[in-house]
């Protein structure tokens, strides 16, 4: 019916054929990330994921986004006319909200759309033969990106000095703490007691290994309030010694690292080189250049969407149930199924007392073997002999399956080409910024008669009419 590679291939084809050159990276020196939402519609009124393999389905990209940037907190605006977060996943999700707004407009106009009438006045629900799949060319930043670096095969290694040694973090530090002398001594002691080697993966990432047959210990943090006890536990993937066979294998003692920083006031990363560099399961904010951002990591946002849906609070006025993703597919890149499940699903499974219709979803998590042509790994592979420094593309592209101005190219949160003098004008705004989406919502409300509005909006409309007298 559909596969991870099929969805990835469809998104890559859409990127090549439907998105213009403007906003795409220069492949000689730039890279970017891609994300999209794909609609899968079956010919029968039944659940698509449980349908037989021979069922005819149509697959269509309905929203797409590219981007790697995020503005600092000092550039944020109360007017809602700037994109705070231009990571591809967020751009794609906001583009998807624009698509949903248009589909609600079609529903209110009694035209063909993805919704059918709900049981409550003014409410709509997604047709049962339609699901949405989220695709990302890369592992989301934040918690899903923290996992052991896979042990490479047939790679040459060379000894390194103690400065490259990796040690296990005994505890997580608070945000204002750094490595204390005791921790430094432990790290140096480990470096002197074990044979440390440096190895290199195919994509040029270096990491340390210990060749001694010692099991990797699991240590957890015990907090006074007994919360988040597992946040610093090592993943089971980090134990690579085979005790049953007695084989002595190199054990990976480093992890893929994320640039996302722990939320202030909570636990923080110990930052000791090796397995203990990061704590897992924590909320994180995206990094900024000098100016700290207020944007949560994409791992945290995907976890939120998996509980609250992708529609947002405004659209929920018109929906009987949230619009959930049925699957999340990641393209070919460093990836861990365990870390992805931990970040997106398991961290929210304890949440209770949600409103009717809301539930932590068991979203399908898959990986494709197809690589995005403008990903960092792909560009690095082509430019192996080049001395040019690769940098992330500064532009972000948003695309929605809507009839009017489906495409948007932005930089630094505004439409590309916006001057300082033009900031604040309507021409400077992205079609997926907060104020533009709100204006679309307002237009949707105005075309619906008072008696056909949902209760939540009818009461607000009556109150505003009374106050206006």
């Amino acid at each position: 019916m559909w596969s991870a590679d099929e969805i990835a291939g469809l998104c890559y084809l859409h990127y090549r054929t439907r998105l213009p050159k403007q906003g795409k990276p220069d492949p000689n020196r730039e890279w970017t990330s891609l994300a999209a939402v794909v609609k899968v519609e079956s010919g029968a009124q039944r659940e698509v994921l449980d349908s037989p393999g021979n069922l005819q389905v149509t697959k269509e990209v309905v929203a797409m986004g590219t981007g790697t940037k995020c503005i600092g907190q000092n550039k944020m605006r109360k007017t809602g006319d700037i994109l705070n977060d231009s990571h591809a996943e967020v751009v794609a999700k906001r583009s998807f909200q624009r698509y949903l707004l248009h589909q609600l407009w079609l529903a209110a106009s009694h035209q063909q759309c993805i919704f059918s009438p709900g049981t409550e006045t003014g409410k709509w629900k997604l047709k049962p033969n339609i699901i949405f799949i989220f695709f990302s060319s890369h592992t989301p930043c934040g918690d899903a990106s923290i996992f052991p670096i896979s042990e490479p095969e047939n790679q040459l290694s060379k000894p390194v000095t103690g400065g490259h040694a990796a040690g296990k973090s005994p505890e997580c530090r608070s945000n204002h703490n750094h490595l204390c002398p005791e921790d430094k001594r432990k790290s140096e002691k480990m470096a002197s007691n074990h044979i440390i080697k440096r190895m290199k993966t195919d994509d040029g990432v270096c990491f340390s290994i210990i060749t001694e047959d010692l099991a990797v210990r699991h240590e957890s943090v015990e907090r006074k309030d007994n919360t988040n006890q597992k946040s610093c536990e090592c993943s089971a993937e980090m134990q690579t010694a085979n005790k049953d066979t007695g084989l002595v294998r190199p054990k990976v003692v480093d992890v893929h690292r994320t640039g996302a920083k722990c939320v202030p006031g909570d636990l923080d990363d110990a930052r000791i080189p090796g397995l203990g560099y990061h704590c897992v399961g924590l909320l994180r904010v995206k990094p900024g250049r000098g100016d700290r951002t207020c944007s949560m990591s994409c791992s945290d946002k995907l976890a939120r969407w998996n509980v609250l849906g992708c529609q947002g609070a405004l659209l929920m006025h018109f929906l009987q149930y949230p619009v959930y993703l049925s699957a999340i597919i990641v393209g070919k890149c460093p990836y861990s199924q365990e870390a992805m499940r931990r970040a997106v699903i398991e961290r929210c499974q304890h949440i209770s007392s949600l409103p009717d219709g809301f539930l932590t979803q068991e979203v399908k998590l898959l990986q494709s073997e197809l690589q995005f042509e403008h990903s960092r790994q792909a560009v690095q592979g082509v430019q192996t002999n080049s001395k040019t420094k690769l940098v992330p593309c500064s532009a972000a592209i948003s695309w929605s399956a809507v009839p009017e101005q489906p495409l948007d190219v932005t930089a630094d949160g505004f439409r590309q080409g916006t001057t300082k003098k033009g900031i604040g004008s309507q021409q400077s705004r992205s079609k997926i910024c907060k104020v533009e989406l709100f204006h679309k919502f307002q237009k949707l409300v105005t075309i619906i008669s008072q008696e056909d509005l949902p209760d939540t909006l009818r009461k607000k409309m009556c109150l505003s009419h009374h106050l206006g007298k």
Side-chain angles (χ1 to χ4, degrees), residues 22-52:
Q22 181 189 8
K24 290 182 178 178
D26 178 352
N28 294 317
R29 62 182 187 88
E30 293 180 323
W31 57 273
T32 194
S33 298
L34 174 73
V37 179
V38 177
K39 180 185 74 169
V40 179
E41 183 174 2
S42 66
Q45 296 286 321
R46 58 195 298 181
E47 175 58 46
V48 178
L49 286 176
D50 297 331
S51 299

Side-chain angles (χ1 to χ4, degrees), residues 160-231:
V160 296
T161 62
H164 295 292
K168 175 70 182 76
S169 168
E171 61 179 50
C172 290
R173 304 287 182 252
S174 64
N175 274 322
H176 54 77
N177 285 345
H178 299 284
L179 295 184
C180 61
E182 181 182 355
D183 295 322
K184 291 180 180 179
R185 286 194 298 272
K186 287 182 180 179
S187 182
E188 290 168 359
K189 183 179 180 181
M190 186 174 185
S192 61
N193 289 345
H194 302 312
I195 303 172
I196 308 295
K197 294 183 178 180
R198 293 286 281 177
M199 301 188 77
K200 184 177 288 189
T201 61
D202 293 335
D203 59 2
V205 177
C206 292
F207 60 95
S208 305
I209 63 169
I210 297 179
T211 57
E212 205 170 0
D213 189 19
L214 296 175
V216 179
R217 293 193 306 164
H218 282 220
E219 299 183 26
S220 61
V221 174
E222 295 183 3
R223 299 181 62 189
K224 292 180 181 180
D225 56 2
N226 291 324
T227 61
N228 211 9
Q229 185 175 358
K230 296 183 179 180
S231 65

Side-chain angles (χ1 to χ4, degrees), residues 13-26 32 64 66 374 393 395-400 406-410 416:
L13 178 64
H14 190 94
Y15 173 81
R16 288 193 299 268
T17 59
R18 301 294 296 274
L19 268 58
K21 187 176 180 180
Q22 181 189 8
K24 290 182 178 178
D26 178 352
T32 194
M64 180 167 280
T66 71
H374 288 155
C393 181
I397 306 174
S398 69
W399 182 92
S400 303
L407 193 71
D408 220 12
V409 181
T410 58
Q416 195 173 51

